[in-house]
Short mmCIF file of all heavy atoms in Angstrom, two decimals:
data_model
loop_
_atom_site.label_atom_id
_atom_site.label_comp_id
_atom_site.label_asym_id
_atom_site.label_seq_id
_atom_site.Cartn_x
_atom_site.Cartn_y
_atom_site.Cartn_z
N THR B 84 199.02 146.49 123.48
CA THR B 84 198.88 147.41 122.33
C THR B 84 198.69 148.87 122.71
O THR B 84 198.29 149.68 121.89
CB THR B 84 197.68 147.00 121.45
OG1 THR B 84 196.50 147.04 122.25
CG2 THR B 84 197.86 145.63 120.86
N GLY B 85 199.01 149.23 123.94
CA GLY B 85 198.76 150.61 124.36
C GLY B 85 199.95 151.53 124.21
O GLY B 85 200.03 152.56 124.88
N LEU B 153 198.38 166.65 122.98
CA LEU B 153 197.68 166.19 121.77
C LEU B 153 198.00 167.15 120.63
O LEU B 153 197.77 168.36 120.73
CB LEU B 153 196.18 166.13 122.05
CG LEU B 153 195.28 165.56 120.94
CD1 LEU B 153 194.02 164.94 121.56
CD2 LEU B 153 194.88 166.60 119.89
N GLN B 158 195.26 171.17 111.96
CA GLN B 158 195.04 172.54 112.44
C GLN B 158 196.31 173.16 113.01
O GLN B 158 196.26 174.28 113.54
CB GLN B 158 193.94 172.54 113.50
CG GLN B 158 192.58 172.09 112.98
CD GLN B 158 191.48 172.36 113.98
OE1 GLN B 158 191.32 173.48 114.45
NE2 GLN B 158 190.72 171.33 114.30
N LEU B 163 197.88 171.10 125.50
CA LEU B 163 198.50 170.58 126.72
C LEU B 163 197.44 170.66 127.82
O LEU B 163 196.97 171.76 128.15
CB LEU B 163 199.73 171.40 127.11
CG LEU B 163 200.90 171.40 126.12
CD1 LEU B 163 202.05 172.27 126.63
CD2 LEU B 163 201.40 169.98 125.87
N GLY B 198 219.70 176.58 130.14
CA GLY B 198 219.68 175.95 131.46
C GLY B 198 218.62 176.53 132.38
O GLY B 198 217.74 177.29 131.96
N MET B 234 196.30 174.42 127.80
CA MET B 234 196.92 175.49 127.03
C MET B 234 196.89 175.07 125.57
O MET B 234 197.36 173.98 125.22
CB MET B 234 198.36 175.73 127.47
CG MET B 234 199.01 176.93 126.76
SD MET B 234 200.63 177.36 127.44
CE MET B 234 201.67 176.20 126.56
N ALA B 286 197.13 147.55 144.83
CA ALA B 286 197.25 147.52 146.28
C ALA B 286 196.69 148.81 146.88
O ALA B 286 196.16 149.65 146.14
CB ALA B 286 198.72 147.35 146.68
N LYS B 333 193.23 143.05 160.54
CA LYS B 333 192.49 141.86 161.02
C LYS B 333 191.05 141.89 160.51
O LYS B 333 190.53 140.90 160.02
CB LYS B 333 192.51 141.81 162.55
CG LYS B 333 193.83 141.29 163.11
CD LYS B 333 193.77 141.15 164.62
CE LYS B 333 195.19 140.90 165.14
NZ LYS B 333 195.49 141.66 166.33
N ASP B 394 190.46 165.06 153.14
CA ASP B 394 190.47 166.21 154.04
C ASP B 394 190.05 167.49 153.32
O ASP B 394 189.32 168.31 153.87
CB ASP B 394 191.86 166.40 154.65
CG ASP B 394 192.18 165.33 155.67
OD1 ASP B 394 191.27 164.98 156.44
OD2 ASP B 394 193.30 164.82 155.67
N ASP B 527 202.58 162.59 143.61
CA ASP B 527 203.09 162.05 142.34
C ASP B 527 204.59 161.79 142.36
O ASP B 527 205.07 160.73 141.96
CB ASP B 527 202.75 163.04 141.22
CG ASP B 527 203.40 162.66 139.90
OD1 ASP B 527 202.80 161.87 139.15
OD2 ASP B 527 204.52 163.16 139.63
N GLU B 536 202.01 154.06 140.44
CA GLU B 536 200.89 154.96 140.14
C GLU B 536 199.95 155.02 141.33
O GLU B 536 199.50 153.98 141.81
CB GLU B 536 200.12 154.44 138.92
CG GLU B 536 198.86 155.25 138.63
CD GLU B 536 198.18 154.80 137.35
OE1 GLU B 536 198.74 155.05 136.27
OE2 GLU B 536 197.10 154.18 137.43
N GLU B 607 228.57 170.37 151.91
CA GLU B 607 228.76 171.10 150.65
C GLU B 607 227.60 172.06 150.36
O GLU B 607 227.78 173.08 149.70
CB GLU B 607 228.92 170.12 149.48
CG GLU B 607 227.71 169.22 149.27
CD GLU B 607 227.89 168.29 148.07
OE1 GLU B 607 228.28 168.78 147.01
OE2 GLU B 607 227.59 167.09 148.21
N LEU B 629 222.73 176.52 162.16
CA LEU B 629 223.41 175.21 162.22
C LEU B 629 224.01 174.99 163.60
O LEU B 629 223.97 173.88 164.15
CB LEU B 629 224.51 175.14 161.15
CG LEU B 629 224.03 175.09 159.71
CD1 LEU B 629 225.21 175.18 158.75
CD2 LEU B 629 223.25 173.80 159.45
N SER B 639 212.47 175.22 167.01
CA SER B 639 211.05 175.55 166.88
C SER B 639 210.57 175.10 165.51
O SER B 639 211.37 174.76 164.63
CB SER B 639 210.85 177.06 167.02
OG SER B 639 211.37 177.71 165.89
#
Side-chain angles (χ1 to χ4, degrees):
Chain B
T84 60
L153 185 152
Q158 297 191 53
L163 297 180
M234 184 172 84
K333 282 185 191 137
D394 288 319
D527 172 87
E536 174 175 290
E607 61 178 312
L629 291 174
S639 70

